[in-house]
Structure formats: structure tokens, C-alpha cells
Amino acid sequence: MSPISKPVFFFFLFFFLNYASLSSSLSLHLPLTSLPLNSPSSHFTTSLLSRRNPSPSSPPYNFRSKFKYSMALIISLPIGTPPQTQQMVLDTGSQLSWIQCHRKKKLPPPTTSFDPSLSTSFSDLPCSHPLCKPRIPDFTLPTSCDSNRLCHYSYFYADGTFAEGNLVKEKITFSITESTPPLILGCATESSDDRGILGMNRGRLSFVSQAKISKFSYCIPPRSNRPGFTPTGSFYLGENPNSHGFKYVSLLTFPESQRMPNLDPLAYTVPMIGIRIGGKKLNISGSVFRPDAGGSGQTMVDSGSEFTHLVDAAYHKVREEIVKLVGPRLKKDYVYGGTADMCFVGNPIAIQRLIGDLVFEFTRGVEILVSKERVLVNVGGGVHCLGIGRSSMLGAASNIIGNVHQQNLWVEFDVTNRRVGFAKADCTRLP
């Protein structure tokens, strides 16, 4: 997985949706981490505070862990019985959750791999399972029957990364008395990364749907350029005690009959209406941020992408304004991550002052404001980029609000009420 690109699956057709009922029975608090997907493993310290025998009306139990942030949001979850802690990328743009899964006979396994032989709640999905047959609604992974008559899957990403293994059922076990029911997961025996994925979109096989999570939220701290230091953020499943200050926009949802080839109907699609740079509203039609007849142009909130990406009609307007403001300072013939060419060499503070604040506008007066002090992203080698790339260079037809522009915000996904909430926060100072 490339540093800034959101995985774009080759099998990117989402037809015949079958949304699950998303009533909540879990409420959890997990501080989250963000790390480069290819960074070395870090030491994680966790604590578990839980009530015995909770009922739906009982107060929520809490799971807490300390993590770090730089590119991707990495959470740590206890999988299996007894639990084995697994590091997973929190991804609101993916459906299938999968873990690194290596049996003892495969040596040497990744340091964070899950050993199925140690879990009493683990089971494989046989080839006879409906998910191992083609054309299953809203599940677009290619599956096949392996030599052991188990359901084998392969996940291929547009940037060349991959994961493959078997589909399985396993619990997330929070304490001796509390766990999710068995969830369908991918058990990757071959992959190009050493962490798994926690799929959090609206599909029926996502963690959100299978665990019946009504809402979840996170607060991403700003990236730090201080050597040896990476900041910590927080992640909640269920009620967030800070939600009284959230401002919400309604999700755009799409019926089963509205089948559009370029639309991801399982994404968290929000009604963006405009962009401001340095106080100036750019001349971009609001229709650019909504799906057209073919599904192109939807705007999604995606924790699994680092940079924000815009369709060409919006990207060119943003770049045109940046050229007016700081054109002579642009780094010529430089494209970061294959998608972002608004990059600079020089004093970033002076360049940020010339650019000013960046604002993403939504309906109901809701905004994501990126202050000028954070408008550039340090990508290394003395280069700083605006943090916006071209969606077309990803092979995507959507606008994607990446995690770099969700920093110092509470972002809540209220799945039951089909809305997303935002609130300013100092994510480095949360308890």
C-alpha cells in the first residue's frame, strides 16, 4: 500500500446492496494510533476495564490502548480466545476485515501474526459457505476453493499490494465474559504488509455491521516532525462523551436500484459543497462533489487514505489558485506518491502564510478548517506538499477526504442515524 493512496480494488463494483440493521450492543473506547504502513512494529501498552455480564441498558465497557500517528491509523484489538493482540489499520473505506494469520509451522511468522491453533473460538469457512460462491451481494472479493476445501480469497490493491488467505470466523474477545459473536474475517497467510485491516464501511461484512456498532468516532492528532516522537489519538465505538459539541451532516445514501459503475454505495458519502483557500471561495460547482449519473464525484470520508484526493474538475481549480499564490515556489517535475504535484522546497512557514487556511465546506454550515500552520505536509527530503492529490491518478472517480485533513477533529460516524459529525479538538491532549 503506497503512503498516500487509498487502495482501489480491481473488483470495484458494488451492486445488489444488502444493508444490515445497525443497532448497537457495544460501546468501547480505544485510543488509536497512526503509523506508516511499513514502519517497524511498536510496543503497545493496553488496559481493559469492563463490566461483568453487561446488558443493553448497562453503561458501556471500555477498552483502552496507547498508539502513535504518522500516516495510517493503527488500532490494536484482542482477537480470539484467549485473545491475541492484533494491529489493524482502521479503514472507513473498506468492508472486509483481515488479520495476519500464520500457523506455527510457517516460520518465521510476522511478529504480530495470529496463530489460529491457539484460539478455541477460531473456525474456517468451508467451500460450501455462501460467501465462497460468486455474485454474493456487496461482497466483491474473488473467492475460490483451496485444496483443503476451504474458502480462499485474494485482495489486490491498485498500488500492487495484496493480501490472500482463507475466510474464517473469529471473535474479538474483550474479557473473559465479554466478546463479539464470531465475525467473518480474512485470515491472510500471504500479504505485502505486516498489519491487518479493520473494515469500517457500511457493508454487511464490515466490522461495524457484523458487530452491530451504532456509531464510532476518532480524534487524530497532528503529525509530528520531532525525531523519535509520534503522537496519540483516541477512538470510540459507541457513545462518545464529547458528542454534545458535534455538528452533523446527513450521509448521502443510495438505493439498491441505483446501480452506478463508479459509485461506492458502502462509503460514508457526505454533502460537500465547496472549497476555500486563504478566505477565497473557489469557483467550483457543487455538482463536482456529488455523484453524477455514472456515480463519479461522490465525496467520502476515509480514514484509510492519508492525503485528500479530488476529481480533476476540483483539483485543477485548487492547483490554479495555489499557482497564483505561490507558483514560483512549486517544485518542478515533482509528484509525490504518484498523485500530488503541489509540493514545495523552501521555508514551509513562509509558504503556508502565503497560502492561508484551507476549508472544506459542507451543508448546514459545517466545515473542516485546516489552519495555515498545518496546510503543508512534510513528506521528507525537505519537501512539503499541500496534502491534496488527483483522484484520477489513483484510478478513482471520487473525492476522498483523507486523514491528513481530519487532524485535530472529532469525527463521528453515526451509522444508525446516517450522519457524520465533526468538532474541533486538541487531539494531543485527550485523557
Side-chain angles (χ1 to χ4, degrees), residues 280-340:
K280 176 183 176 181
K281 185 175 177 66
L282 303 186
N283 184 23
I284 307 173
S285 170
S287 63
V288 169
F289 304 114
R290 291 178 179 251
D292 61 17
S296 299
Q298 74 181 120
T299 300
M300 62 182 73
V301 182
D302 185 7
S303 65
S305 290
E306 184 194 6
F307 275 22
T308 290
H309 288 81
L310 300 175
V311 297
D312 284 352
Y315 185 83
H316 292 322
K317 289 293 185 180
V318 170
R319 195 178 195 286
E320 180 181 291
E321 184 63 20
I322 293 299
V323 169
K324 288 180 182 177
L325 295 171
V326 287
R329 302 182 184 226
L330 282 167
K331 184 174 174 61
K332 293 182 179 180
D333 303 319
Y334 181 86
V335 181
Y336 177 68
T339 68

Coordinates of all heavy atoms in Angstrom, one line a residue, residues 280-340:
K280 N -10.7 32.7 0.2 CA -11.4 32.9 -1.1 C -12.1 31.6 -1.5 O -11.5 30.5 -1.5 CB -10.4 33.2 -2.2 CG -10.9 33.2 -3.6 CD -9.8 33.5 -4.6 CE -10.4 33.4 -6.1 NZ -9.3 33.7 -7.0
K281 N -13.4 31.7 -1.8 CA -14.2 30.5 -2.2 C -13.8 30.3 -3.7 O -14.0 31.2 -4.6 CB -15.7 30.7 -2.1 CG -16.5 29.5 -2.4 CD -18.0 29.8 -2.1 CE -18.8 28.6 -2.5 NZ -18.5 27.4 -1.7
L282 N -13.4 29.1 -4.0 CA -13.0 28.7 -5.4 C -14.3 28.5 -6.2 O -15.3 28.1 -5.8 CB -12.2 27.5 -5.4 CG -10.9 27.5 -4.5 CD1 -10.1 26.2 -4.7 CD2 -10.1 28.7 -4.9
N283 N -14.1 28.8 -7.5 CA -15.2 28.7 -8.4 C -15.4 27.3 -8.9 O -15.0 26.9 -10.0 CB -15.0 29.6 -9.6 CG -16.1 29.7 -10.6 OD1 -17.3 29.3 -10.2 ND2 -15.9 30.0 -11.9
I284 N -15.9 26.4 -8.0 CA -16.1 25.0 -8.3 C -17.6 24.7 -8.1 O -18.2 25.0 -7.0 CB -15.3 24.1 -7.4 CG1 -13.8 24.5 -7.4 CG2 -15.5 22.7 -7.8 CD1 -13.0 23.7 -6.4
S285 N -18.3 24.2 -9.1 CA -19.7 23.9 -9.0 C -19.9 22.8 -7.9 O -19.1 21.9 -7.8 CB -20.2 23.4 -10.3 OG -21.5 22.8 -10.2
G286 N -20.9 23.0 -7.1 CA -21.2 22.0 -6.1 C -21.5 20.6 -6.6 O -21.3 19.6 -6.0
S287 N -21.9 20.5 -7.9 CA -22.2 19.2 -8.5 C -20.9 18.4 -8.7 O -21.0 17.1 -8.8 CB -22.8 19.4 -9.9 OG -21.9 20.1 -10.8
V288 N -19.7 19.0 -8.6 CA -18.5 18.3 -8.7 C -18.3 17.4 -7.5 O -17.5 16.4 -7.7 CB -17.3 19.3 -8.9 CG1 -15.9 18.6 -8.7 CG2 -17.4 20.1 -10.2
F289 N -18.9 17.7 -6.4 CA -18.7 16.9 -5.2 C -19.8 15.9 -4.9 O -19.8 15.3 -3.9 CB -18.6 17.9 -4.0 CG -17.5 18.9 -4.2 CD1 -17.8 20.3 -4.3 CD2 -16.1 18.6 -4.2 CE1 -16.8 21.2 -4.5 CE2 -15.2 19.5 -4.4 CZ -15.5 20.8 -4.5
R290 N -20.7 15.7 -5.9 CA -21.8 14.8 -5.7 C -21.8 13.8 -6.9 O -21.3 14.2 -8.0 CB -23.1 15.5 -5.7 CG -23.3 16.3 -4.4 CD -24.7 17.0 -4.4 NE -24.9 17.7 -3.1 CZ -25.7 17.3 -2.2 NH1 -26.5 16.3 -2.4 NH2 -25.9 18.0 -1.1
P291 N -22.3 12.6 -6.7 CA -22.2 11.6 -7.8 C -23.0 12.1 -9.0 O -24.1 12.6 -8.9 CB -22.9 10.4 -7.2 CG -22.9 10.6 -5.7 CD -22.9 12.1 -5.5
D292 N -22.4 11.9 -10.2 CA -23.2 12.1 -11.4 C -23.9 10.9 -11.8 O -24.0 9.9 -11.1 CB -22.2 12.6 -12.5 CG -21.2 11.6 -12.9 OD1 -21.3 10.4 -12.6 OD2 -20.2 12.0 -13.5
A293 N -24.5 10.8 -13.1 CA -25.3 9.7 -13.5 C -24.5 8.4 -13.5 O -25.1 7.3 -13.3 CB -25.8 10.0 -14.9
G294 N -23.2 8.5 -13.6 CA -22.4 7.2 -13.6 C -21.8 7.0 -12.2 O -21.0 6.0 -12.1
G295 N -22.0 7.8 -11.2 CA -21.5 7.6 -9.9 C -20.2 8.4 -9.6 O -19.8 8.4 -8.5
S296 N -19.6 9.0 -10.6 CA -18.4 9.8 -10.4 C -18.7 11.0 -9.6 O -19.7 11.7 -9.8 CB -17.7 10.1 -11.7 OG -17.4 8.9 -12.4
G297 N -17.8 11.4 -8.7 CA -17.9 12.6 -8.0 C -18.3 12.6 -6.6 O -18.4 13.6 -5.9
Q298 N -18.7 11.4 -6.0 CA -19.1 11.3 -4.6 C -17.9 11.8 -3.8 O -16.8 11.7 -4.1 CB -19.5 9.9 -4.3 CG -18.4 8.9 -4.1 CD -18.9 7.5 -3.8 OE1 -18.7 6.6 -4.5 NE2 -19.6 7.4 -2.6
T299 N -18.2 12.3 -2.6 CA -17.2 12.7 -1.6 C -17.3 11.9 -0.4 O -18.4 11.9 0.3 CB -17.4 14.2 -1.3 OG1 -17.3 15.0 -2.4 CG2 -16.4 14.7 -0.2
M300 N -16.3 11.2 -0.1 CA -16.3 10.2 1.1 C -15.3 10.6 2.1 O -14.2 11.2 1.8 CB -16.1 8.8 0.6 CG -14.7 8.6 -0.1 SD -14.5 6.9 -0.7 CE -15.6 6.9 -2.1
V301 N -15.6 10.3 3.4 CA -14.7 10.5 4.5 C -14.0 9.2 4.7 O -14.6 8.2 5.0 CB -15.4 10.9 5.7 CG1 -14.4 11.2 6.9 CG2 -16.2 12.2 5.5
D302 N -12.6 9.2 4.5 CA -11.9 7.9 4.5 C -10.7 8.0 5.4 O -9.7 8.7 5.2 CB -11.5 7.6 3.1 CG -10.8 6.3 2.9 OD1 -10.8 5.5 3.9 OD2 -10.3 6.0 1.8
S303 N -10.7 7.2 6.5 CA -9.6 7.2 7.4 C -8.4 6.4 6.8 O -7.3 6.5 7.3 CB -10.0 6.5 8.7 OG -10.4 5.2 8.6
G304 N -8.7 5.6 5.8 CA -7.6 4.7 5.2 C -6.8 5.4 4.2 O -5.8 4.8 3.7
S305 N -7.1 6.6 3.8 CA -6.3 7.4 2.9 C -5.6 8.5 3.7 O -6.2 9.1 4.6 CB -7.2 8.1 1.8 OG -7.7 7.2 0.9
E306 N -4.3 8.7 3.4 CA -3.6 9.7 4.1 C -4.0 11.1 3.5 O -4.5 12.0 4.2 CB -2.1 9.5 4.0 CG -1.3 10.6 4.8 CD 0.1 10.6 4.5 OE1 0.6 10.0 3.6 OE2 0.8 11.4 5.2
F307 N -3.7 11.3 2.2 CA -4.0 12.6 1.6 C -5.4 12.6 1.1 O -6.1 11.6 0.9 CB -3.1 12.8 0.3 CG -1.7 13.3 0.6 CD1 -1.1 13.3 1.9 CD2 -1.0 13.9 -0.4 CE1 0.1 13.8 2.1 CE2 0.3 14.5 -0.2 CZ 0.8 14.4 1.1
T308 N -5.9 13.8 1.0 CA -7.2 14.1 0.3 C -7.0 14.0 -1.2 O -5.9 14.4 -1.7 CB -7.8 15.5 0.8 OG1 -8.1 15.4 2.1 CG2 -8.9 15.9 -0.1
H309 N -8.0 13.5 -1.9 CA -7.9 13.4 -3.3 C -9.2 14.0 -3.9 O -10.3 13.8 -3.4 CB -7.7 12.0 -3.8 CG -6.3 11.4 -3.5 ND1 -6.0 11.0 -2.3 CD2 -5.3 11.3 -4.3 CE1 -4.7 10.6 -2.3 NE2 -4.2 10.8 -3.5
L310 N -9.0 14.7 -5.0 CA -10.1 15.4 -5.7 C -10.2 15.0 -7.1 O -9.2 14.7 -7.8 CB -9.9 16.9 -5.6 CG -9.9 17.6 -4.2 CD1 -9.5 19.0 -4.3 CD2 -11.2 17.3 -3.4
V311 N -11.4 15.0 -7.6 CA -11.6 14.7 -9.1 C -11.0 15.9 -9.8 O -10.8 17.0 -9.3 CB -13.1 14.5 -9.4 CG1 -13.7 13.3 -8.7 CG2 -13.9 15.7 -9.1
D312 N -10.7 15.7 -11.1 CA -10.0 16.7 -11.9 C -10.6 18.0 -11.9 O -9.9 19.1 -11.8 CB -9.8 16.2 -13.3 CG -8.7 15.1 -13.4 OD1 -8.0 14.8 -12.4 OD2 -8.6 14.5 -14.5
A313 N -11.9 18.1 -12.0 CA -12.6 19.4 -12.1 C -12.3 20.3 -10.8 O -12.1 21.5 -10.9 CB -14.1 19.3 -12.3
A314 N -12.2 19.6 -9.7 CA -11.9 20.4 -8.4 C -10.4 20.5 -8.3 O -9.9 21.6 -7.8 CB -12.5 19.6 -7.2
Y315 N -9.7 19.5 -8.6 CA -8.2 19.5 -8.4 C -7.6 20.7 -9.2 O -6.7 21.4 -8.7 CB -7.6 18.2 -8.8 CG -6.1 18.1 -8.5 CD1 -5.6 17.8 -7.2 CD2 -5.2 18.4 -9.5 CE1 -4.3 17.8 -6.9 CE2 -3.8 18.4 -9.2 CZ -3.4 18.0 -7.9 OH -2.0 18.0 -7.7
H316 N -8.0 20.8 -10.4 CA -7.4 21.8 -11.3 C -7.7 23.2 -10.8 O -6.8 24.1 -10.9 CB -7.9 21.7 -12.7 CG -7.4 20.5 -13.4 ND1 -6.2 20.0 -13.3 CD2 -8.1 19.6 -14.3 CE1 -6.0 18.9 -14.0 NE2 -7.2 18.6 -14.6
K317 N -8.9 23.5 -10.2 CA -9.2 24.8 -9.6 C -8.3 25.0 -8.4 O -7.9 26.2 -8.2 CB -10.7 24.8 -9.2 CG -11.6 24.9 -10.4 CD -11.5 26.2 -11.2 CE -12.5 26.3 -12.3 NZ -12.4 27.6 -13.0
V318 N -8.1 24.0 -7.6 CA -7.3 24.2 -6.4 C -5.8 24.5 -6.8 O -5.2 25.4 -6.3 CB -7.3 22.9 -5.5 CG1 -6.2 23.0 -4.4 CG2 -8.7 22.7 -4.9
R319 N -5.4 23.8 -7.8 CA -4.0 24.0 -8.2 C -3.8 25.3 -8.9 O -2.8 26.0 -8.7 CB -3.6 22.9 -9.2 CG -2.1 22.8 -9.5 CD -1.6 21.7 -10.4 NE -0.2 21.5 -10.3 CZ 0.7 22.3 -10.8 NH1 0.4 23.4 -11.5 NH2 2.0 22.0 -10.7
E320 N -4.8 25.8 -9.6 CA -4.8 27.1 -10.2 C -4.7 28.2 -9.2 O -3.9 29.1 -9.4 CB -6.1 27.3 -11.0 CG -6.3 28.6 -11.8 CD -7.6 28.7 -12.5 OE1 -7.8 28.0 -13.5 OE2 -8.5 29.5 -12.0
E321 N -5.4 28.1 -8.1 CA -5.3 29.1 -7.0 C -3.9 29.0 -6.3 O -3.3 30.0 -6.0 CB -6.4 28.8 -6.0 CG -6.4 29.9 -4.9 CD -6.7 31.3 -5.4 OE1 -7.3 31.4 -6.5 OE2 -6.4 32.3 -4.7
I322 N -3.4 27.8 -6.1 CA -2.1 27.6 -5.5 C -1.0 28.2 -6.4 O -0.1 28.9 -5.9 CB -1.8 26.2 -5.2 CG1 -2.7 25.6 -4.1 CG2 -0.3 26.0 -4.8 CD1 -2.6 26.3 -2.8
V323 N -1.1 28.1 -7.7 CA -0.1 28.7 -8.6 C -0.2 30.2 -8.5 O 0.9 30.8 -8.5 CB -0.4 28.2 -10.1 CG1 0.4 29.0 -11.1 CG2 -0.1 26.7 -10.2
K324 N -1.4 30.7 -8.4 CA -1.5 32.2 -8.2 C -0.8 32.7 -7.0 O -0.1 33.7 -6.9 CB -3.0 32.6 -8.2 CG -3.7 32.5 -9.5 CD -5.1 32.9 -9.4 CE -5.9 32.8 -10.7 NZ -7.3 33.2 -10.5
L325 N -0.9 31.9 -5.9 CA -0.4 32.4 -4.6 C 1.1 32.1 -4.4 O 1.8 33.0 -3.9 CB -1.2 31.6 -3.5 CG -2.7 32.0 -3.4 CD1 -3.4 31.1 -2.4 CD2 -2.9 33.4 -3.0
V326 N 1.5 30.9 -4.8 CA 2.9 30.5 -4.6 C 3.5 29.8 -5.7 O 4.4 28.9 -5.5 CB 3.0 29.7 -3.3 CG1 2.8 30.5 -2.0 CG2 2.0 28.5 -3.3
G327 N 3.1 30.1 -6.9 CA 3.5 29.3 -8.1 C 5.0 29.3 -8.3 O 5.6 28.2 -8.5
P328 N 5.8 30.3 -8.1 CA 7.2 30.3 -8.3 C 7.9 29.3 -7.3 O 9.1 29.0 -7.5 CB 7.7 31.7 -8.1 CG 6.5 32.6 -8.4 CD 5.3 31.7 -7.9
R329 N 7.3 29.0 -6.2 CA 7.9 28.2 -5.2 C 7.6 26.7 -5.4 O 8.1 25.8 -4.6 CB 7.5 28.6 -3.8 CG 7.8 30.1 -3.5 CD 7.4 30.5 -2.1 NE 7.7 31.9 -1.9 CZ 8.3 32.4 -0.8 NH1 8.7 31.6 0.1 NH2 8.5 33.7 -0.7
L330 N 6.7 26.3 -6.4 CA 6.4 24.9 -6.6 C 7.7 24.2 -7.1 O 8.5 24.7 -7.8 CB 5.3 24.8 -7.7 CG 3.9 25.1 -7.2 CD1 3.0 25.2 -8.4 CD2 3.4 24.0 -6.3
K331 N 7.8 23.0 -6.6 CA 8.9 22.1 -7.0 C 8.6 21.5 -8.4 O 7.6 20.8 -8.5 CB 9.1 21.0 -6.0 CG 10.3 20.1 -6.3 CD 10.5 19.1 -5.1 CE 11.6 18.1 -5.4 NZ 13.0 18.7 -5.7
K332 N 9.4 21.8 -9.4 CA 9.1 21.5 -10.8 C 9.3 20.0 -11.0 O 10.2 19.4 -10.4 CB 9.9 22.3 -11.7 CG 9.6 23.7 -11.7 CD 10.5 24.5 -12.8 CE 10.2 26.0 -12.8 NZ 11.0 26.7 -13.8
D333 N 8.4 19.4 -11.8 CA 8.5 18.0 -12.2 C 8.6 17.0 -11.0 O 9.3 16.0 -11.0 CB 9.7 17.8 -13.1 CG 9.7 18.7 -14.3 OD1 8.6 18.8 -14.9 OD2 10.8 19.2 -14.7
Y334 N 7.8 17.4 -10.0 CA 7.8 16.5 -8.8 C 6.4 16.1 -8.5 O 5.5 17.0 -8.4 CB 8.4 17.3 -7.6 CG 8.5 16.5 -6.3 CD1 9.5 15.6 -6.0 CD2 7.4 16.5 -5.4 CE1 9.6 14.9 -4.9 CE2 7.4 15.8 -4.2 CZ 8.5 14.9 -4.0 OH 8.6 14.2 -2.8
V335 N 6.2 14.8 -8.3 CA 4.9 14.3 -8.0 C 5.0 13.3 -6.8 O 5.8 12.3 -6.9 CB 4.2 13.6 -9.1 CG1 2.8 13.1 -8.7 CG2 4.1 14.5 -10.3
Y336 N 4.4 13.6 -5.7 CA 4.6 12.8 -4.5 C 3.5 11.7 -4.6 O 2.3 11.9 -4.7 CB 4.4 13.6 -3.2 CG 4.5 12.7 -2.0 CD1 5.7 12.1 -1.6 CD2 3.4 12.5 -1.2 CE1 5.7 11.3 -0.5 CE2 3.4 11.7 -0.1 CZ 4.6 11.1 0.3 OH 4.6 10.3 1.4
G337 N 4.0 10.4 -4.4 CA 3.0 9.3 -4.3 C 2.3 9.1 -5.6 O 1.3 8.4 -5.6
G338 N 2.7 9.7 -6.7 CA 2.1 9.5 -8.0 C 0.8 10.3 -8.2 O 0.2 10.2 -9.3
T339 N 0.4 11.1 -7.2 CA -0.9 11.8 -7.3 C -0.8 13.3 -7.0 O -1.6 14.1 -7.4 CB -2.0 11.2 -6.4 OG1 -1.6 11.4 -5.1 CG2 -2.1 9.7 -6.7
A340 N 0.2 13.7 -6.2 CA 0.2 15.1 -5.6 C 1.4 15.9 -6.2 O 2.6 15.5 -5.9 CB 0.3 15.0 -4.1

